[in-house]
Amino acid sequence: MEKVAIIGHGDRFDALAGLLAANGKTPVMWNHDGRARRHLPKNVELIELEALREHHLIFLSLPINEMRKVSRQVGDHITGRHAIVHLARNLEHTSLKTVSELLSEETPTRRTGFLTGPMREEDISQGHAASGVCATVFPEVHELVGEALVSSSFRMYRTHDIIGAELAAAYCRVIAMGCGVLSELGLGQSLQATLFSRGLAEMGRFVAHRGGKERTTFGLAGSGNLFIDIAAPGSDDFRIGAAAMRLNKFDRKSVIKEYGSRGADLLELIESLAALRQNKRLALHLLETCHLMVSAEMGPAAAVQHLMSLPTLDD
Amino acid sequence: MLGFESTQETQIFMKKDAPLFRFNAERPHLVSEVTRRVFADYLGRSRTSSSHALEYVLNETAFQELERLRLETGPEDEIRPREWWKATARSLSEMSEDEKREILRGLVESYTDDTAGRFEPRVFRFASGVLPVGLSFLFKTQDVRHLPGAQDLAETVKHVRDLEERVEVQGPVDQLRRLAKTGTLVVVPTHSSNMDSILLGWALEQVGLPPVTYGAGKNLFANPLTGYFMHNLGAYKVDRRIKHELYKDVLKSYSQVLLENGYHSLFFPGGTRCRSNVVEDRLKLGLLGTAVTASIRNLQANKYRPIYICPVTLNYNLILEAESLIREHLRREGGARYFLENDEFNQISTVIRFVLNTVRMDASTVIRFGQPHDVFGNRVEDDGESYDARGRRVDPLEFIRSVKTGEVIEDAARDREYTRFAGTRIASEFRRNTVVMSSAVVAFSLFELLANRFPNLDVYQLVRLNFEETIPWHELRSTIAETVGDIRDLGRLGKVQLSGAVASGSIDQIMDQGVRGLTMFHIPAAIEYVPSGVRINKVDLLLFYGNRLRPFGLDARDILARAKV
């Protein structure tokens, strides 16, 4: 049977490799940036870029700033028969295009999918159960991803709303940062729950505004991701928020120093999304507040005060 | 004015090879193939699902037809009369399965036979062009003495031969002629007027492209002006009043079988005529989807022939049905705030005036072909090959192979997505190939100037303004100048096309041409000359013509500010 191909690095990439291993699969991997073997997952067989032609299901898990370049390289060697499934929880900075939009610009295939959800690498490596949602409009892609990943410890849900899932999964990161700020205040769990819930409502407005389905927000791509992001010890985004609160200032340099490209990634995402602040009907108050913090216009403590003073919205 | 002179050589090629010329010989086979498929589909489904049992299907069909026929009042010819449906519905429960099958098969066959048009090659006269001949014929056969506007008729007939001077065909016509030899063309035009299919049929012939078959509303067959062409130019009949699934399945299957057999076709992807005159971007993809399925079926039957989607925009300076179209648009959007009146196309005097005014007008109608695409939305270049967004050559067959096995398979969900994607490409070609005419520039400027005077009124209140407003010349001129400046910028970026006057005329020429058109064409006139400027009579017409510019993101407020209004 044909082996699936994987490309990428990072936590989600490691989680994916873990899921494949748990399901008894040995994937092939194109080592796109020539990493040392010790940094690669154990159960992979390395191949050259050209050999991707022979592997028709490709998983791509990369930071957003590498995505366009790498997918164009991949696009040179694949056909309309291939399926590409990505795991990136981000939007292209400035253009705010989703990764599936970017893939359809850079590769010849239309068969794209997005895999996301509460599948933390630590859980998978310890053999704990996890779940994810595969978003694609192509039933065949659902089927193939299911065959590759579903095991007794991994449940896979399906949705057709790929745009909605991509938007929700990215927007969660902003809310997670906000939750991180709040977590340091010691104001109790009620306020955390409020932020969690109002964050989802805001995310729903954003998703619907950009052409996704609001209800996708309340599935694994939205609430599932947000829950795992803020559950202890918290995602990088959550921890960046918490650290800012401890210092009561948002120091860009120290964020990037401590979290590297993952920190820069979050800051750029918030800055790009901030273009939507002007849209009063969308009422993206949490995004707006996070942006005020990131751009150092408001300290974290003042930002929380600011949020508390905003009028409540009727659902 | 034509970009291409049709040569004898091309005509000979077409006469011999154009698939439509074999239609009459193949008609019985096509009808029986469509009947066989639709019948087999329904029979197959009735065996696997109780909700598709024949009794249920026939009952539902009868119910919908009886409901419709209860409300229909006109003496239209019906495929099955009301009495037949009544009798069938009554006796359904006592029929044997064999009898039900026979009823269904008969019904499908009648629908298919009614749909399949006839093509009369003798009428398709090459040397003189179909439209002038047809129009002369039409005018000779009418008892013109009793028609209002008859005094203008002689002049109309005389001018009508100048039509080719008035119609300009642009775009990659040479490429399309080559593609027509190796594949099947699906021409997808914008839709503004009932004249579209006739004009396009004429234009295809003029530039040496093969004739196309297309579905036309049954009302157009009944109309004395259009019926003549419909019957003879390869149109098939679509009865829009019939709403049930069985009929829709017959139409879809008919379109698909024609494509599988290599008949060049024409679909209006916007569905019906565009009410608002905004370039269509919400496309109906049902018939377009048959192109993907036809490709797969042919491939599976080892007779693959590529299908090429050819977007084309029809750009009129003025549109006969403008008034009723925009009214219907406003009624749909505005609900109770609006009423609907009669369609100009049914008034023969209006049609005559339309032809006359069209031939008197300086401005041409522009038919502009865009970039052809394959059915998966990849663009097709000169060599007939498909290319992706990054300019890589791609093999279209790979798109319909199973990811897993590599076999060519049908997959309804996958193919819907391809069609949806191809639809977005068509919509973007429509925008890019829209030709901005002087009437649109003038109407846009006048509408915005008026809206600026009444900032508190919405569109519905504006179009119902009961008093006549006069826009001074200097205000109109400076607004047109700014609008033209912005449009020319967009033109330079390749985002839109410009008519000759809009591209290189002086502001006074554009204003003169646009104002004259809007003054002459409609009765009562949309606008009138008064010594101090232009008096606005019909705000809805200005909205309609100006809407052509809406998708291009012009900032009206900024334009008026720069015009110092």
Side-chain angles (χ1 to χ4, degrees):
Chain A
M1 212 174 120
E2 197 178 291
K3 289 178 176 168
V4 302
I6 58 174
I7 302 165
H9 55 82
D11 292 349
R12 277 188 294 279
F13 181 75
D14 293 340
L16 172 75
L19 289 174
L20 286 163
N23 197 28
K25 307 277 191 228
T26 310
V28 296
M29 177 178 176
W30 171 48
N31 187 3
H32 76 286
D33 54 0
R35 277 166 197 252
R37 183 80 216 205
R38 65 176 185 283
H39 295 306
L40 304 181
K42 289 188 182 61
N43 61 325
V44 297
E45 177 189 317
L46 292 182
I47 57 164
E48 295 300 318
L49 171 62
E50 298 75 30
L52 286 173
R53 188 172 297 142
E54 308 304 325
H55 300 273
H56 293 92
L57 175 61
I58 300 171
F59 287 97
L60 203 52
S61 182
L62 291 164
I64 195 73
N65 56 3
E66 292 180 44
M67 196 56 95
R68 202 174 263 285
K69 184 176 156 230
V70 173
S71 45
R72 191 179 299 193
Q73 288 175 297
V74 172
D76 288 341
H77 298 280
I78 66 168
T79 70
R81 181 182 154 191
H82 282 76
I84 305 182
V85 178
H86 80 91
L87 289 89
R89 282 179 57 189
N90 214 326
L91 305 172
E92 186 172 53
H93 300 143
T94 321
S95 76
L96 287 182
K97 284 181 182 169
T98 68
V99 173
S100 64
E101 287 175 287
L102 195 147
L103 289 171
S104 79
E105 288 174 6
E106 298 296 344
T107 75
T109 189
R110 313 250 183 284
R111 295 186 240 205
T112 55
F114 173 48
L115 179 72
T116 193
M119 36 195 218
R120 199 184 257 177
E121 199 269 328
E122 294 90 324
D123 291 333
I124 291 163
S125 61
Q126 289 171 37
H128 295 317
S131 72
V133 57
C134 177
T136 175
V137 289
F138 296 94
E140 199 184 5
V141 175
H142 274 145
E143 225 169 275
L144 289 168
V145 174
E147 272 174 32
L149 302 180
V150 172
S151 66
S152 57
S153 58
F154 184 68
R155 292 175 68 77
M156 190 189 87
Y157 294 80
R158 299 168 183 213
T159 175
H160 297 303
D161 183 19
I162 180 164
I163 297 284
E166 289 176 300
L167 294 169
Y171 206 86
C172 276
R173 301 184 52 193
V174 181
I175 310 295
M177 189 193 93
C179 290
V181 172
L182 211 58
S183 69
E184 286 295 314
L185 278 173
L187 293 175
Q189 293 298 313
S190 303
L191 202 56
Q192 281 283 15
T194 309
L195 189 57
F196 180 87
S197 165
R198 296 314 300 168
L200 286 177
E202 179 170 316
M203 196 192 302
R205 290 194 294 276
F206 167 71
V207 166
H209 171 72
R210 300 284 307 228
K213 291 198 174 90
E214 192 182 11
R215 70 162 189 265
T216 302
T217 307
F218 303 100
L220 293 180
S223 60
N225 273 328
L226 184 55
F227 189 92
I228 198 79
D229 283 353
I230 66 175
S235 65
D236 287 347
D237 306 323
F238 179 89
R239 290 198 294 246
I240 289 170
M245 188 62 226
R246 280 195 296 275
L247 301 168
N248 200 21
K249 67 170 186 181
F250 215 100
D251 182 5
R252 222 187 149 83
K253 275 187 193 152
S254 68
V255 167
I256 293 173
K257 194 176 163 197
E258 191 170 347
Y259 294 91
S261 64
R262 287 173 295 177
D265 209 49
L266 173 71
L267 302 184
E268 282 179 46
L269 173 66
I270 292 174
E271 278 154 8
S272 301
L273 284 170
L276 297 165
R277 277 170 54 183
Q278 306 307 326
N279 189 331
K280 294 290 171 222
R281 276 175 61 197
L282 267 177
L284 305 177
H285 295 146
L286 296 175
L287 169 70
E288 195 173 343
T289 310
C290 287
H291 184 248
L292 288 171
M293 282 191 283
V294 165
S295 55
E297 287 173 54
M298 199 180 266
V304 174
Q305 277 306 313
H306 169 68
L307 269 183
M308 292 298 288
S309 67
L310 288 171
T312 55
L313 293 176
D314 295 336
D315 276 333
Chain B
M1 297 286 275
L2 291 171
F4 169 78
E5 292 296 318
S6 63
T7 63
Q8 216 165 0
E9 196 188 336
T10 334
Q11 287 163 8
I12 290 165
F13 149 71
M14 283 174 47
K15 225 172 194 169
K16 216 169 50 191
D17 294 345
L20 209 46
F21 287 88
R22 16 172 249 265
F23 178 80
N24 287 344
E26 290 184 359
R27 190 181 189 280
H29 161 72
L30 296 171
V31 170
S32 85
E33 177 60 16
V34 174
T35 308
R36 188 190 65 72
R37 283 191 195 184
V38 176
F39 180 60
D41 269 3
Y42 271 79
L43 212 58
R45 265 181 279 168
S46 76
R47 286 179 181 135
T48 52
S49 141
S50 59
S51 64
H52 290 95
L54 293 189
E55 184 170 339
Y56 178 80
V57 169
L58 288 171
N59 206 22
E60 177 65 23
T61 310
F63 174 75
Q64 293 206 27
E65 278 299 89
L66 283 168
E67 276 296 291
R68 176 177 76 80
L69 292 167
R70 196 166 58 83
L71 301 169
E72 296 289 343
T73 48
E76 304 279 347
D77 56 326
E78 295 294 344
I79 297 165
R80 293 288 160 102
R82 189 157 178 239
E83 292 67 37
W84 185 87
W85 285 110
K86 267 188 181 164
T88 307
R90 256 199 312 269
S91 51
L92 261 179
S93 58
E94 285 143 28
M95 279 184 202
S96 69
E97 277 304 297
D98 279 353
E99 283 171 315
K100 283 180 214 152
R101 267 182 226 146
E102 222 16 69
I103 294 267
L104 180 70
R105 214 193 56 77
L107 201 53
V108 171
E109 191 168 26
S110 310
Y111 281 140
T112 312
D113 190 62
D114 184 69
T115 301
R118 284 177 211 287
F119 179 68
E120 183 49 77
R122 278 170 303 164
V123 177
F124 200 84
R125 293 268 296 277
F126 285 91
S128 46
V130 168
L131 191 55
V133 170
L135 283 176
S136 316
F137 172 86
L138 170 83
F139 291 129
K140 278 176 207 147
T141 56
Q142 300 287 334
D143 186 359
V144 295
R145 283 165 304 177
H146 302 301
L147 290 173
Q151 64 277 16
D152 292 334
L153 202 65
E155 199 189 339
T156 309
V157 174
K158 197 175 80 207
H159 276 299
V160 99
R161 281 182 181 276
D162 302 339
L163 195 68
E164 59 192 88
E165 299 295 319
R166 310 279 167 197
V167 179
E168 193 174 340
V169 182
Q170 302 177 347
V173 173
D174 290 335
Q175 182 192 2
L176 295 179
R177 275 200 299 272
R178 282 195 294 276
L179 295 181
K181 290 183 191 174
T182 54
T184 305
L185 305 186
V186 175
V187 177
V188 285
T190 54
H191 198 3
S192 310
S193 167
N194 281 333
M195 293 292 288
D196 291 349
S197 52
I198 300 173
L199 191 69
L200 196 58
W202 173 82
L204 290 172
E205 189 269 333
Q206 287 293 302
V207 296
L209 285 167
V212 291
T213 178
Y214 55 98
K218 213 168 179 173
N219 55 328
L220 291 184
F221 284 81
N223 180 305
L225 175 67
T226 47
Y228 174 79
F229 300 104
M230 298 297 155
H231 276 300
N232 296 303
L233 292 183
Y236 59 89
K237 244 186 248 178
V238 178
D239 192 337
R240 294 217 176 86
R241 299 166 308 161
I242 305 182
K243 302 283 183 210
H244 56 74
E245 284 305 308
L246 182 64
Y247 185 68
K248 287 182 189 164
D249 287 339
V250 167
L251 291 181
K252 251 186 167 174
S253 185
Y254 185 74
S255 155
Q256 189 183 313
V257 168
L258 286 178
L259 283 175
E260 283 175 33
N261 283 278
Y263 284 84
H264 305 296
S265 302
L266 180 151
F267 307 142
F268 286 110
T272 54
R273 287 170 296 170
C274 175
R275 263 56 182 174
S276 63
N277 204 32
V278 177
V279 185
E280 294 122 302
D281 67 346
R282 273 186 229 158
L283 306 181
K284 289 185 177 166
L285 304 169
L287 283 181
L288 201 59
T290 62
V292 177
T293 320
S295 301
I296 297 172
R297 292 279 174 93
N298 275 355
L299 204 68
Q300 286 168 333
N302 281 325
K303 50 172 193 172
Y304 181 67
R305 189 181 156 86
I307 293 176
Y308 301 113
I309 310 287
C310 314
V312 53
T313 59
L314 302 179
N315 306 275
Y316 300 92
N317 203 26
L318 298 154
I319 291 166
L320 172 65
E321 305 102 306
E323 209 162 342
S324 55
L325 291 174
I326 189 68
R327 282 184 186 175
E328 190 171 337
H329 167 70
L330 292 167
R331 187 184 59 85
R332 280 184 192 176
E333 300 286 311
R337 282 181 282 180
Y338 227 84
F339 313 97
L340 176 66
E341 286 167 37
N342 205 358
D343 187 326
E344 298 88 335
F345 216 82
N346 294 324
Q347 302 156 11
I348 193 84
S349 57
T350 319
V351 174
I352 291 171
R353 205 179 58 244
F354 163 80
V355 174
L356 185 60
N357 284 345
T358 305
V359 296
R360 274 175 179 167
M361 222 59 88
D362 317 332
S364 315
T365 293
V366 181
I367 296 178
R368 188 180 170 89
F369 286 94
Q371 170 101 47
H373 283 71
D374 67 20
V375 295
F376 309 106
N378 298 304
R379 62 175 210 280
V380 173
E381 292 293 351
D382 251 358
D383 53 6
E385 302 287 347
S386 299
Y387 290 82
D388 75 358
R390 287 283 162 245
R392 308 180 189 102
R393 192 170 141 183
V394 293
D395 179 358
L397 299 189
E398 293 294 316
F399 287 76
I400 44 180
R401 291 187 193 286
S402 145
V403 179
K404 197 171 177 180
T405 65
E407 274 173 290
V408 172
I409 49 162
E410 271 188 62
D411 175 341
R414 177 199 70 192
D415 299 343
R416 257 200 309 282
E417 181 59 17
Y418 287 150
T419 305
R420 192 197 60 76
F421 188 82
T424 65
R425 306 311 310 149
I426 294 171
S428 112
E429 285 298 306
F430 279 175
R431 265 195 313 281
R432 215 164 56 83
N433 289 286
T434 293
V435 181
V436 176
M437 311 297 246
S438 49
S439 59
V441 173
V442 171
F444 176 86
S445 305
L446 282 169
F447 186 86
E448 291 304 333
L449 282 165
L450 187 73
N452 188 49
R453 279 196 186 178
F454 301 99
N456 297 325
L457 301 189
D458 66 16
V459 168
Y460 301 97
Q461 291 164 321
L462 275 177
V463 298
R464 295 178 70 178
L465 269 186
N466 227 353
F467 47 94
E468 288 151 347
E469 279 293 310
T470 298
I471 304 288
W473 287 114
H474 69 274
E475 282 191 15
L476 179 58
R477 193 181 183 287
S478 57
T479 308
I480 290 176
E482 293 302 329
T483 307
V484 167
D486 286 7
I487 287 282
R488 283 180 181 166
D489 286 345
L490 290 169
R492 272 188 286 276
L493 295 170
K495 292 187 173 171
V496 71
Q497 310 298 319
L498 313 180
S499 74
V502 178
S504 52
S506 68
I507 298 304
D508 287 321
Q509 280 167 337
I510 297 169
M511 181 160 80
D512 183 54
Q513 198 179 67
V515 169
R516 203 143 49 85
L518 292 167
T519 321
M520 275 174 59
F521 192 70
H522 296 282
I523 294 178
I527 56 175
E528 273 176 76
Y529 289 98
V530 290
S532 54
V534 170
R535 192 170 66 204
I536 296 174
N537 294 338
K538 291 273 183 187
V539 182
D540 50 1
L541 284 173
L542 299 181
L543 174 69
F544 179 82
Y545 288 114
N547 269 349
R548 210 61 176 173
L549 305 187
R550 301 282 162 198
F552 301 102
L554 297 178
D555 184 342
R557 201 176 292 175
D558 183 49
I559 286 175
L560 293 178
R562 280 184 277 132
K564 299 197 171 52
V565 175

